[in-house]
Amino acid sequence: MAKQLPYNTMREIFARFHEAEPEPKGELEHVNAYTLVVAVALSAQATDAGVNKATRRLFQVADTPEKMLALGEEGLTEHIKTIGLFRQKAKNVIKLSRIIVEEYGGEVPNSRAALQSLPGVGRKTANVVLNMWWHYPAQAVDTHIFRVGNRTGIAPGKDVVAVEHAIEDNVPADYQLHAHHWLILHGRYICVARKPKCNACLIRDLCPYEDKTP
């Protein structure tokens, strides 16, 4: 685990991320807050590309909790059976859809606690929805961010909550909104797990990690 980088270094890192991609976007396809919740819930232990492939047709027929309940668990299962853990995920989506209809009037709640009360929705999922739909500077820490945060010193921490707090505490406020997207994309495509592409890294000179690129 690298030590926390100093403020001036953090500013320079995120200034470079911003210059390279001013408005980074999440890669999960959705059409409203509800479909975003469903997509993120389905993405656990699955790739965004795999989820998108399954949900393109699903969201054409079920883009509201009411339509999802009408589709039913078996109907939903047919759409998402290419996704890992699809049976349990189908149960969770039907349950969370019912709760949204019965307890929230069909509208997705916009507090972290309310979102986390939904079946299959954890802190990371809640933070993704808060960030992507309501533009709240929530930090959704996945395996990519956990790795990048610790490897680079951008957000060191022993667990995902510690890394989340390190981002909130140390990333300059004007970069908080997009911080988790920049870090996810950096970890997904450049600072990869086994063989980071240090030669292609735009923050290579600011990173304390030993260059493992041949």
Side-chain angles (χ1 to χ4, degrees):
M1 182 190 299
K3 292 183 179 179
Q4 176 67 56
L5 294 175
Y7 176 79
N8 288 342
T9 304
M10 295 284 283
R11 277 215 71 88
E12 177 61 23
I13 284 173
F14 283 92
R16 292 184 190 182
F17 284 151
H18 178 267
E19 183 178 2
E21 184 63 67
E23 296 287 335
K25 304 295 183 184
E27 296 182 324
L28 283 173
E29 297 173 4
H30 59 283
V31 296
N32 53 32
Y34 172 72
T35 54
L36 178 58
V37 171
V38 173
V40 181
L42 293 176
S43 71
Q45 301 181 46
T47 66
D48 288 358
V51 172
N52 290 339
K53 186 176 180 180
T55 58
R56 284 185 191 119
R57 292 186 63 188
L58 171 64
F59 293 157
Q60 290 177 4
V61 298
D63 60 355
T64 68
E66 293 86 356
K67 291 178 182 177
M68 191 68 75
L69 290 173
L71 182 63
E73 187 176 321
E74 288 304 313
L76 172 57
T77 298
E78 283 301 306
H79 282 276
I80 66 169
K81 60 186 179 183
T82 57
I83 301 174
L85 307 175
F86 66 92
R87 293 194 186 280
Q88 183 58 49
K89 290 177 180 179
K91 292 180 186 296
N92 286 337
V93 169
I94 293 299
K95 288 179 181 177
L96 72 82
S97 299
R98 184 170 292 110
I99 291 172
I100 290 173
V101 170
E102 294 178 353
E103 298 185 19
Y104 299 102
E107 298 294 328
V108 175
N110 63 353
S111 78
R112 183 184 287 118
L115 285 166
Q116 284 188 247
S117 73
L118 301 174
V121 176
R123 186 179 182 88
K124 184 187 79 171
T125 298
N127 283 345
V128 170
V129 176
L130 290 172
N131 182 279
M132 289 181 64
W133 192 257
W134 283 288
H135 308 296
Y136 179 80
Q139 307 302 329
V141 178
D142 67 353
T143 55
H144 296 301
I145 293 182
F146 185 81
R147 177 178 66 256
V148 172
N150 280 291
R151 180 183 277 173
T152 64
I154 290 173
K158 293 183 178 180
D159 54 45
V160 294
V161 174
V163 171
E164 179 183 329
H165 290 162
I167 296 172
E168 293 173 345
D169 291 344
N170 296 288
V171 173
D174 44 329
Y175 294 120
Q176 288 267 339
L177 179 61
H178 296 309
H180 96 275
H181 278 132
W182 282 318
L183 294 174
I184 286 173
L185 295 172
H186 190 64
R188 185 173 289 167
Y189 298 111
I190 301 297
C191 197
V192 295
R194 292 188 178 183
K195 197 174 182 181
K197 301 173 183 178
C198 298
N199 287 339
C201 178
L202 55 76
I203 62 168
R204 178 180 179 179
D205 58 313
L206 303 173
C207 175
Y209 186 69
E210 181 182 353
D211 185 359
K212 292 188 175 182
T213 304

